[in-house]
């Protein structure tokens, strides 16, 4: 059977393929393509492999990210793939052929436009490791926590008692978890997030247009939610959560003004982590995905925080291909500088 590569595909066919794939996820959908397409200095890439009957055999959605236009932007350019590629389940030889076509096209399009390519695995892709290696990718271990949300009693039993006490204490002290009533509340959360990235994370953050686009799309469907922490009419934290319909809710961006409010018995970051778990339990979702917990062997306060919510630790790792080694080193330094200077 012959396969062909295409960048043009019927959107419903694409959506149905992702929805019905055993590892289909929000990050490989047409909705994400459009969100990134409308974000400043970001560029969406998509291609699919079809068989001779026009049936999809595999898809890949990637995003080229830059922090500024022109030559300076190139030094921060990277191509990120979340939760893909998605390959139609078949025999090993056919899956390898489809994956090879997708990776060849990814490298061809990104090689001269981004310093490196990183595939952030959301499921076990170890069986594809040899094919990735053939295309110049190396495997880097990376941890994550996934919380099962099929049964409230079992889920809450696994969460640290101290975290559940902080949740209850926060509510008793007057904090609330809300969904945004208007775009101004989302912007208030974005400003908290921007401050966090500037002072602690030291990494660039997508522009406001990205968070606004996510809000506009999530208002009218169940593909994502903002959960905001409100206290006395003020937004003091929140979390941005994509949703894979009927399956998983994810932490994408999260922030809370803990230093300002912990003394008052309010724990914004704890409530922000609890909010999607509670939502998943109430709405028939199977898992909450923390979307990363750092590298094995490295001390991580973030990992310790996430571990308290009773999730299973997994190591799906990342595949990375460096297109230009010298610029990669300079680009890593540049991202740190940009993260420090950006306001």
């Amino acid at each position: 059977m012959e396969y062909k590569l295409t960048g043009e595909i019927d959107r419903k066919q694409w959506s149905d393929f992702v929805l019905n794939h055993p590892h289909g996820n929000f990050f490989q959908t047409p909705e994400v393509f459009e969100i990134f397409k409308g974000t400043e200095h970001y560029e969406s890439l998509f291609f699919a492999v079809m068989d001779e009957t026009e049936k999809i055999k595999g898809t890949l959605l990637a995003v080229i990210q830059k922090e500024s236009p022109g030559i300076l932007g190139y030094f921060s350019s990277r191509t990120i793939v979340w939760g893909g590629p998605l390959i139609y389940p078949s025999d090993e030889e056919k899956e390898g052929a489809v994956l090879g076509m997708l990776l060849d096209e990814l490298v061809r399009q990104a090689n001269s436009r981004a310093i490196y390519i990183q595939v952030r695995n959301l499921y076990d892709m170890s069986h594809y490791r040899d094919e990735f290696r053939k295309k110049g990718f190396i495997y880097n271990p990376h941890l994550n926590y996934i919380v099962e949300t099929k049964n409230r009693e079992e889920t809450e039993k696994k969460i640290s008692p101290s975290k559940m006490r902080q949740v209850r204490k926060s509510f008793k002290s007057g904090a609330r978890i809300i969904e945004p009533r208007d775009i101004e509340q989302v912007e208030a959360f974005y400003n908290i997030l921007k401050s966090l990235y500037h002072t602690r994370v030291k990494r660039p953050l997508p522009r406001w247009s990205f968070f606004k686009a996510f809000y506009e799309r999530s208002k009218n469907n169940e593909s994502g939610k903002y959960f905001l922490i409100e206290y006395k009419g003020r937004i003091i934290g929140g979390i941005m959560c994509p949703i894979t319909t009927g399956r998983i809710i994810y932490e994408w961006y999260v922030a809370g003004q803990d230093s300002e409010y912990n003394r008052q018995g309010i724990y914004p970051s704890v409530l922000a982590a609890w909010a999607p778990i509670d939502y998943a339990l109430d709405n028939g979702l199977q898992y909450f995905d923390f979307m990363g917990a750092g590298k094995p062997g490295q001390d991580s306060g973030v990992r310790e925080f996430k571990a308290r919510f009773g999730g299973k630790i997994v190591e799906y790792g990342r595949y990375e291909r460096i297109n230009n080694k010298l610029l990669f080193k300079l680009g890593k330094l540049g991202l740190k500088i940009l993260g420090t200077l950006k306001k």
Side-chain angles (χ1 to χ4, degrees):
M1 180 172 286
E2 294 186 1
Y3 297 134
K4 67 176 182 179
L5 190 77
T6 180
E8 297 293 331
I9 190 172
D10 178 76
R11 290 302 172 91
K12 185 177 186 307
Q13 187 182 12
W14 176 4
S15 292
D16 289 345
F17 175 78
V18 173
L19 181 63
N20 293 316
H21 192 282
H23 300 296
N25 59 83
F26 167 86
F27 302 94
Q28 291 295 304
T29 62
E31 288 79 11
V32 173
F33 181 92
E34 295 298 334
I35 288 172
F36 278 116
K37 185 179 177 182
T39 300
E40 299 166 82
H41 311 316
Y42 281 41
E43 181 181 358
S44 299
L45 301 178
F46 173 76
F47 21 92
V49 172
M50 317 284 286
D51 67 16
E52 57 195 20
T53 67
E54 297 298 315
K55 184 176 181 179
I56 299 176
K57 308 306 290 185
T59 61
L60 190 152
L61 171 59
V63 182
I64 298 177
Q65 303 181 6
K66 298 180 181 180
E67 301 312 315
S68 59
I71 188 66
L72 291 177
Y74 182 71
F75 281 91
S76 65
S77 62
R78 63 267 189 209
T79 300
I80 307 297
V81 180
W82 285 279
L86 297 177
I87 313 298
Y88 183 81
S90 183
D91 60 73
E92 185 176 336
E93 182 178 352
K94 290 180 180 178
E95 287 186 32
V98 172
L99 177 59
M101 292 177 69
L102 292 171
L103 293 180
D104 281 341
E105 184 64 11
L106 176 63
V107 171
R108 187 187 73 80
Q109 292 202 31
N111 188 52
S112 63
R113 297 155 71 186
I115 294 172
Y116 67 95
I117 304 169
Q118 189 176 81
V119 179
R120 300 181 180 180
N121 303 328
L122 297 181
Y123 62 97
D124 184 4
M125 294 181 69
S126 59
H127 53 298
Y128 292 141
R129 198 167 295 181
D130 285 344
E131 194 63 42
F132 273 96
R133 180 180 50 78
K134 292 176 188 176
K135 307 303 179 182
F137 289 81
I138 60 171
Y139 177 81
N140 292 318
H142 204 86
L143 302 174
N144 187 25
Y145 279 101
I146 299 177
V147 180
E148 188 173 291
T149 53
K150 299 175 183 177
N151 179 280
R152 179 173 290 275
E153 183 179 355
E154 291 299 317
T155 299
E156 292 188 5
K157 188 185 301 183
K158 293 176 183 177
I159 298 175
S160 160
S162 65
K163 292 302 172 197
M164 290 306 300
R165 281 197 299 272
Q166 288 173 345
V167 168
R168 291 190 291 269
K169 190 173 182 180
S170 297
F171 288 144
K172 188 176 180 180
S173 298
R176 298 194 304 151
I177 297 170
I178 66 167
E179 292 186 33
R181 294 184 289 271
D182 50 50
I183 193 67
E184 286 74 23
Q185 290 188 320
V186 178
E187 190 169 12
F189 163 65
Y190 173 72
N191 288 330
I192 297 170
L193 194 61
K194 189 164 59 170
S195 175
L196 173 69
Y197 270 66
H198 174 61
T199 58
R200 295 182 59 186
V201 179
K202 306 294 186 183
R203 288 289 185 271
L205 186 69
R207 302 297 178 92
W208 164 240
S209 57
F210 166 74
F211 293 90
K212 181 181 179 182
F214 184 88
Y215 171 70
E216 294 297 339
R217 288 185 173 273
S218 63
K219 279 194 307 183
N220 301 316
N221 57 53
E222 295 299 312
S223 65
K225 293 282 185 182
Y226 279 105
F227 299 105
L228 305 181
I229 313 307
E230 185 182 54
Y231 177 65
K232 293 185 176 179
R234 180 181 176 185
I235 301 302
I236 63 171
I239 185 169
M240 175 186 184
C241 295
I243 297 172
T244 298
T245 305
R247 299 183 193 173
I248 307 175
I249 186 168
Y250 308 84
E251 172 191 299
W252 207 355
Y253 290 96
V254 62
Q257 294 178 319
D258 297 315
S259 59
E260 292 93 329
Y261 290 94
N262 284 177
R263 293 187 298 271
Q264 301 178 47
I266 297 171
Y267 302 87
S269 291
V270 173
L271 285 183
W274 165 250
I277 296 173
D278 189 46
Y279 178 85
L281 289 166
D282 282 344
N283 290 275
L285 300 178
Q286 299 175 26
Y287 301 99
F288 168 56
D289 188 329
F290 268 111
M291 292 283 288
K295 296 179 180 179
Q298 290 186 354
D299 291 335
S300 171
V302 172
R303 184 189 309 153
E304 183 178 342
F305 175 84
K306 293 180 178 182
R308 299 292 192 87
F309 289 88
K312 176 183 177 182
I313 193 165
V314 296
E315 195 248 282
Y316 296 148
R318 295 172 174 181
Y319 291 110
E320 192 168 81
R321 184 183 193 276
I322 300 173
N323 299 328
N324 188 310
K325 292 184 178 180
L326 175 60
L327 292 181
F328 176 76
K329 293 180 180 179
L330 293 174
K332 285 283 188 179
L333 177 61
L335 283 175
K336 290 182 180 178
I337 294 172
L338 279 167
T340 302
L341 297 179
K342 209 165 213 34
K343 295 182 179 180

